[in-house]
Amino acid sequence: MRLILLGPPGAGKGTQAVVLSKEFGWVHISTGDILREAVDKGTNLGLEAKKYMKKGELVPDNIVSRMVVDRITHLPSSKGFVLDGYPRNEAQALNLENALAKLGIKIDMVIYLKTSPEVIISRLSGRRVCKKCGANYHMRNIPPKKEGMCDKCGGELIQREDDKEQTIRNRLRVYGEQTKKLLSHYEKEGLLKTVSGDLDVHRLFQELSVLFKEVRFT
Ligand code: AMP
């Protein structure tokens, strides 16, 4: 399966992508994670990306598209993947299609996680991530065993710079502006399915599993 997960920040794309990749052996490609890693390492890409990410703005399309295409190109052609956080606009979607066409592969399904604003704000303001391994937690919904410490690697749990309230609002505004065209693009292509992003992780996984049964995938 070559899958795109669409949805505003806080819709649960990242959490669900991790579950799906574990369950089905697909590769999880998260542009947010790749960019944050570059920022932490202080690479040229990271320094450039940081300027935009701090404000909740989109990193320029050419930078992000190059990054994603590079990852996909290095996968075996039969390998399934889940794209999380990409594409974010129509230009990125077209870029992706061109790159996949060159590799002789196609997206099988696009899932839009439609999520209500109250759920988003509650999820994002409670979200904590491990500084060391990037694992996600939520103060109420997925608390770590020991406060402030990652269950997996013992790293420190922090609030993402862009999960602060003012930046959340900007990210949601930016997402809303870009998303309409993207949804109608995939609707036209006959690839779009909509599922409620308000569901908890387990229920959402069940709903998605039902959808996957309708599609033949690798
Ligand atoms: P996310 O973790 O997906 O919410 O992404 C965090 C931030 O990384 C976003 O607010 C953007 O600044 C940047 N970013 C992630 N994915 C993209 C993308 N596809 N295009 C442009 N910027 C992106």
Side-chain angles (χ1 to χ4, degrees), residues 7-37:
K13 302 185 297 293
T15 308
Q16 202 56 223
V18 169
V19 174
L20 294 174
S21 52
K22 263 197 205 129
E23 188 70 20
F24 298 112
W26 304 332
V27 175
H28 175 197
I29 303 174
S30 155
T31 42
D33 285 352
I34 301 172
L35 289 167
R36 276 184 290 279
E37 199 183 307

mmCIF file of all heavy atoms in Angstrom, residues 7-37:
data_model
loop_
_atom_site.group_PDB
_atom_site.id
_atom_site.type_symbol
_atom_site.label_atom_id
_atom_site.label_comp_id
_atom_site.label_asym_id
_atom_site.label_seq_id
_atom_site.Cartn_x
_atom_site.Cartn_y
_atom_site.Cartn_z
ATOM 1 N N GLY A 7 -4.635 15.589 6.993
ATOM 2 C CA GLY A 7 -5.415 16.025 8.149
ATOM 3 C C GLY A 7 -4.652 17.136 8.820
ATOM 4 O O GLY A 7 -3.424 17.215 8.686
ATOM 5 N N PRO A 8 -5.355 17.990 9.541
ATOM 6 C CA PRO A 8 -4.682 19.108 10.199
ATOM 7 C C PRO A 8 -3.709 18.618 11.253
ATOM 8 O O PRO A 8 -3.797 17.463 11.682
ATOM 9 C CB PRO A 8 -5.838 19.875 10.844
ATOM 10 C CG PRO A 8 -6.925 18.880 10.967
ATOM 11 C CD PRO A 8 -6.774 17.921 9.846
ATOM 12 N N PRO A 9 -2.810 19.491 11.706
ATOM 13 C CA PRO A 9 -1.950 19.111 12.827
ATOM 14 C C PRO A 9 -2.857 18.677 13.977
ATOM 15 O O PRO A 9 -3.888 19.308 14.221
ATOM 16 C CB PRO A 9 -1.237 20.425 13.188
ATOM 17 C CG PRO A 9 -1.356 21.290 11.995
ATOM 18 C CD PRO A 9 -2.601 20.891 11.279
ATOM 19 N N GLY A 10 -2.512 17.587 14.641
ATOM 20 C CA GLY A 10 -3.330 17.134 15.766
ATOM 21 C C GLY A 10 -4.419 16.144 15.365
ATOM 22 O O GLY A 10 -5.170 15.663 16.205
ATOM 23 N N ALA A 11 -4.503 15.806 14.074
ATOM 24 C CA ALA A 11 -5.522 14.851 13.636
ATOM 25 C C ALA A 11 -5.129 13.419 14.002
ATOM 26 O O ALA A 11 -5.955 12.514 13.941
ATOM 27 C CB ALA A 11 -5.735 14.966 12.126
ATOM 28 N N GLY A 12 -3.870 13.223 14.357
ATOM 29 C CA GLY A 12 -3.418 11.877 14.731
ATOM 30 C C GLY A 12 -2.714 11.157 13.591
ATOM 31 O O GLY A 12 -2.541 9.933 13.644
ATOM 32 N N LYS A 13 -2.271 11.895 12.574
ATOM 33 C CA LYS A 13 -1.595 11.263 11.427
ATOM 34 C C LYS A 13 -0.344 10.519 11.867
ATOM 35 O O LYS A 13 -0.118 9.383 11.473
ATOM 36 C CB LYS A 13 -1.176 12.313 10.379
ATOM 37 C CG LYS A 13 -2.285 13.144 9.812
ATOM 38 C CD LYS A 13 -1.780 14.065 8.701
ATOM 39 C CE LYS A 13 -0.760 15.085 9.135
ATOM 40 N NZ LYS A 13 -1.254 16.134 10.057
ATOM 41 N N GLY A 14 0.464 11.204 12.677
ATOM 42 C CA GLY A 14 1.750 10.627 13.088
ATOM 43 C C GLY A 14 1.556 9.347 13.894
ATOM 44 O O GLY A 14 2.183 8.321 13.611
ATOM 45 N N THR A 15 0.659 9.403 14.886
ATOM 46 C CA THR A 15 0.416 8.238 15.742
ATOM 47 C C THR A 15 -0.103 7.076 14.900
ATOM 48 O O THR A 15 0.352 5.935 15.028
ATOM 49 C CB THR A 15 -0.633 8.601 16.827
ATOM 50 O OG1 THR A 15 -0.207 9.780 17.479
ATOM 51 C CG2 THR A 15 -0.805 7.491 17.828
ATOM 52 N N GLN A 16 -1.051 7.377 14.015
ATOM 53 C CA GLN A 16 -1.639 6.314 13.207
ATOM 54 C C GLN A 16 -0.618 5.758 12.203
ATOM 55 O O GLN A 16 -0.574 4.552 11.958
ATOM 56 C CB GLN A 16 -2.862 6.875 12.463
ATOM 57 C CG GLN A 16 -3.849 5.838 12.012
ATOM 58 C CD GLN A 16 -4.379 4.959 13.138
ATOM 59 O OE1 GLN A 16 -4.479 3.753 12.969
ATOM 60 N NE2 GLN A 16 -4.703 5.506 14.284
ATOM 61 N N ALA A 17 0.214 6.628 11.670
ATOM 62 C CA ALA A 17 1.227 6.172 10.703
ATOM 63 C C ALA A 17 2.194 5.190 11.370
ATOM 64 O O ALA A 17 2.614 4.201 10.762
ATOM 65 C CB ALA A 17 1.991 7.367 10.134
ATOM 66 N N VAL A 18 2.521 5.448 12.639
ATOM 67 C CA VAL A 18 3.417 4.535 13.366
ATOM 68 C C VAL A 18 2.736 3.171 13.536
ATOM 69 O O VAL A 18 3.334 2.119 13.278
ATOM 70 C CB VAL A 18 3.799 5.131 14.751
ATOM 71 C CG1 VAL A 18 4.500 4.108 15.620
ATOM 72 C CG2 VAL A 18 4.680 6.360 14.579
ATOM 73 N N VAL A 19 1.459 3.186 13.923
ATOM 74 C CA VAL A 19 0.717 1.936 14.115
ATOM 75 C C VAL A 19 0.629 1.160 12.795
ATOM 76 O O VAL A 19 0.896 -0.051 12.742
ATOM 77 C CB VAL A 19 -0.720 2.239 14.645
ATOM 78 C CG1 VAL A 19 -1.548 0.981 14.721
ATOM 79 C CG2 VAL A 19 -0.657 2.921 15.993
ATOM 80 N N LEU A 20 0.294 1.857 11.722
ATOM 81 C CA LEU A 20 0.134 1.194 10.419
ATOM 82 C C LEU A 20 1.453 0.622 9.921
ATOM 83 O O LEU A 20 1.505 -0.482 9.369
ATOM 84 C CB LEU A 20 -0.404 2.183 9.370
ATOM 85 C CG LEU A 20 -1.819 2.713 9.599
ATOM 86 C CD1 LEU A 20 -2.157 3.781 8.574
ATOM 87 C CD2 LEU A 20 -2.832 1.585 9.518
ATOM 88 N N SER A 21 2.524 1.381 10.119
ATOM 89 C CA SER A 21 3.802 0.892 9.587
ATOM 90 C C SER A 21 4.264 -0.344 10.371
ATOM 91 O O SER A 21 4.822 -1.269 9.789
ATOM 92 C CB SER A 21 4.857 1.987 9.549
ATOM 93 O OG SER A 21 4.963 2.607 10.783
ATOM 94 N N LYS A 22 3.951 -0.371 11.687
ATOM 95 C CA LYS A 22 4.307 -1.559 12.482
ATOM 96 C C LYS A 22 3.470 -2.751 12.051
ATOM 97 O O LYS A 22 3.962 -3.857 11.859
ATOM 98 C CB LYS A 22 4.018 -1.288 13.957
ATOM 99 C CG LYS A 22 5.238 -0.846 14.719
ATOM 100 C CD LYS A 22 5.024 -0.996 16.224
ATOM 101 C CE LYS A 22 5.927 -0.026 16.949
ATOM 102 N NZ LYS A 22 5.227 0.789 17.926
ATOM 103 N N GLU A 23 2.171 -2.502 11.899
ATOM 104 C CA GLU A 23 1.235 -3.591 11.601
ATOM 105 C C GLU A 23 1.452 -4.184 10.207
ATOM 106 O O GLU A 23 1.411 -5.386 10.015
ATOM 107 C CB GLU A 23 -0.190 -3.024 11.711
ATOM 108 C CG GLU A 23 -1.292 -4.033 11.624
ATOM 109 C CD GLU A 23 -1.355 -4.927 12.862
ATOM 110 O OE1 GLU A 23 -0.818 -4.542 13.928
ATOM 111 O OE2 GLU A 23 -1.931 -6.012 12.748
ATOM 112 N N PHE A 24 1.700 -3.317 9.220
ATOM 113 C CA PHE A 24 1.761 -3.791 7.836
ATOM 114 C C PHE A 24 3.172 -3.772 7.232
ATOM 115 O O PHE A 24 3.353 -4.151 6.082
ATOM 116 C CB PHE A 24 0.841 -2.948 6.948
ATOM 117 C CG PHE A 24 -0.611 -3.038 7.334
ATOM 118 C CD1 PHE A 24 -1.278 -1.943 7.859
ATOM 119 C CD2 PHE A 24 -1.325 -4.219 7.175
ATOM 120 C CE1 PHE A 24 -2.619 -2.016 8.217
ATOM 121 C CE2 PHE A 24 -2.669 -4.302 7.530
ATOM 122 C CZ PHE A 24 -3.310 -3.202 8.053
ATOM 123 N N GLY A 25 4.149 -3.282 7.982
ATOM 124 C CA GLY A 25 5.524 -3.262 7.467
ATOM 125 C C GLY A 25 5.782 -2.166 6.443
ATOM 126 O O GLY A 25 6.734 -2.244 5.670
ATOM 127 N N TRP A 26 4.916 -1.134 6.441
ATOM 128 C CA TRP A 26 5.148 -0.029 5.509
ATOM 129 C C TRP A 26 6.150 0.944 6.121
ATOM 130 O O TRP A 26 6.274 1.039 7.339
ATOM 131 C CB TRP A 26 3.834 0.730 5.233
ATOM 132 C CG TRP A 26 2.742 -0.144 4.712
ATOM 133 C CD1 TRP A 26 2.886 -1.291 3.982
ATOM 134 C CD2 TRP A 26 1.333 0.031 4.911
ATOM 135 N NE1 TRP A 26 1.661 -1.826 3.692
ATOM 136 C CE2 TRP A 26 0.687 -1.041 4.245
ATOM 137 C CE3 TRP A 26 0.546 0.984 5.555
ATOM 138 C CZ2 TRP A 26 -0.692 -1.186 4.231
ATOM 139 C CZ3 TRP A 26 -0.827 0.849 5.530
ATOM 140 C CH2 TRP A 26 -1.443 -0.219 4.870
ATOM 141 N N VAL A 27 6.806 1.716 5.247
ATOM 142 C CA VAL A 27 7.768 2.696 5.733
ATOM 143 C C VAL A 27 7.026 4.009 6.047
ATOM 144 O O VAL A 27 6.217 4.475 5.237
ATOM 145 C CB VAL A 27 8.864 2.953 4.666
ATOM 146 C CG1 VAL A 27 9.802 4.067 5.111
ATOM 147 C CG2 VAL A 27 9.633 1.680 4.407
ATOM 148 N N HIS A 28 7.298 4.551 7.211
ATOM 149 C CA HIS A 28 6.647 5.800 7.626
ATOM 150 C C HIS A 28 7.526 6.977 7.200
ATOM 151 O O HIS A 28 8.664 7.085 7.641
ATOM 152 C CB HIS A 28 6.483 5.747 9.152
ATOM 153 C CG HIS A 28 5.939 7.007 9.754
ATOM 154 N ND1 HIS A 28 6.042 7.294 11.092
ATOM 155 C CD2 HIS A 28 5.279 8.061 9.219
ATOM 156 C CE1 HIS A 28 5.473 8.459 11.344
ATOM 157 N NE2 HIS A 28 5.010 8.944 10.222
ATOM 158 N N ILE A 29 6.983 7.829 6.339
ATOM 159 C CA ILE A 29 7.747 9.001 5.907
ATOM 160 C C ILE A 29 7.032 10.256 6.414
ATOM 161 O O ILE A 29 5.965 10.617 5.914
ATOM 162 C CB ILE A 29 7.894 9.044 4.368
ATOM 163 C CG1 ILE A 29 8.565 7.752 3.866
ATOM 164 C CG2 ILE A 29 8.694 10.278 3.929
ATOM 165 C CD1 ILE A 29 8.634 7.630 2.348
ATOM 166 N N SER A 30 7.615 10.868 7.442
ATOM 167 C CA SER A 30 7.021 12.074 8.033
ATOM 168 C C SER A 30 7.919 13.260 7.734
ATOM 169 O O SER A 30 9.069 13.310 8.183
ATOM 170 C CB SER A 30 6.889 11.878 9.548
ATOM 171 O OG SER A 30 6.887 13.138 10.197
ATOM 172 N N THR A 31 7.396 14.224 6.967
ATOM 173 C CA THR A 31 8.239 15.385 6.636
ATOM 174 C C THR A 31 8.556 16.196 7.890
ATOM 175 O O THR A 31 9.664 16.702 8.040
ATOM 176 C CB THR A 31 7.558 16.279 5.577
ATOM 177 O OG1 THR A 31 6.181 16.396 5.894
ATOM 178 C CG2 THR A 31 7.738 15.726 4.198
ATOM 179 N N GLY A 32 7.575 16.288 8.812
ATOM 180 C CA GLY A 32 7.830 17.018 10.062
ATOM 181 C C GLY A 32 9.002 16.393 10.818
ATOM 182 O O GLY A 32 9.904 17.096 11.287
ATOM 183 N N ASP A 33 9.015 15.055 10.929
ATOM 184 C CA ASP A 33 10.103 14.371 11.654
ATOM 185 C C ASP A 33 11.449 14.574 10.953
ATOM 186 O O ASP A 33 12.465 14.822 11.599
ATOM 187 C CB ASP A 33 9.841 12.848 11.740
ATOM 188 C CG ASP A 33 8.759 12.519 12.762
ATOM 189 O OD1 ASP A 33 8.341 13.432 13.501
ATOM 190 O OD2 ASP A 33 8.333 11.347 12.818
ATOM 191 N N ILE A 34 11.443 14.459 9.630
ATOM 192 C CA ILE A 34 12.710 14.611 8.884
ATOM 193 C C ILE A 34 13.252 16.030 9.073
ATOM 194 O O ILE A 34 14.437 16.244 9.318
ATOM 195 C CB ILE A 34 12.521 14.321 7.368
ATOM 196 C CG1 ILE A 34 11.988 12.904 7.136
ATOM 197 C CG2 ILE A 34 13.839 14.514 6.612
ATOM 198 C CD1 ILE A 34 11.599 12.615 5.680
ATOM 199 N N LEU A 35 12.329 17.010 9.005
ATOM 200 C CA LEU A 35 12.762 18.407 9.169
ATOM 201 C C LEU A 35 13.254 18.679 10.586
ATOM 202 O O LEU A 35 14.277 19.334 10.780
ATOM 203 C CB LEU A 35 11.600 19.357 8.819
ATOM 204 C CG LEU A 35 11.245 19.429 7.335
ATOM 205 C CD1 LEU A 35 9.910 20.137 7.129
ATOM 206 C CD2 LEU A 35 12.325 20.149 6.546
ATOM 207 N N ARG A 36 12.539 18.132 11.584
ATOM 208 C CA ARG A 36 12.974 18.368 12.979
ATOM 209 C C ARG A 36 14.348 17.751 13.234
ATOM 210 O O ARG A 36 15.181 18.310 13.924
ATOM 211 C CB ARG A 36 11.935 17.813 13.966
ATOM 212 C CG ARG A 36 10.782 18.783 14.228
ATOM 213 C CD ARG A 36 9.835 18.253 15.286
ATOM 214 N NE ARG A 36 9.066 17.125 14.825
ATOM 215 C CZ ARG A 36 7.969 17.213 14.078
ATOM 216 N NH1 ARG A 36 7.506 18.395 13.726
ATOM 217 N NH2 ARG A 36 7.321 16.141 13.677
ATOM 218 N N GLU A 37 14.562 16.590 12.625
ATOM 219 C CA GLU A 37 15.872 15.942 12.780
ATOM 220 C C GLU A 37 16.973 16.836 12.188
ATOM 221 O O GLU A 37 18.033 17.009 12.782
ATOM 222 C CB GLU A 37 15.817 14.595 12.049
ATOM 223 C CG GLU A 37 16.880 13.616 12.467
ATOM 224 C CD GLU A 37 16.770 12.350 11.639
ATOM 225 O OE1 GLU A 37 15.665 11.769 11.571
ATOM 226 O OE2 GLU A 37 17.782 11.951 11.031
#
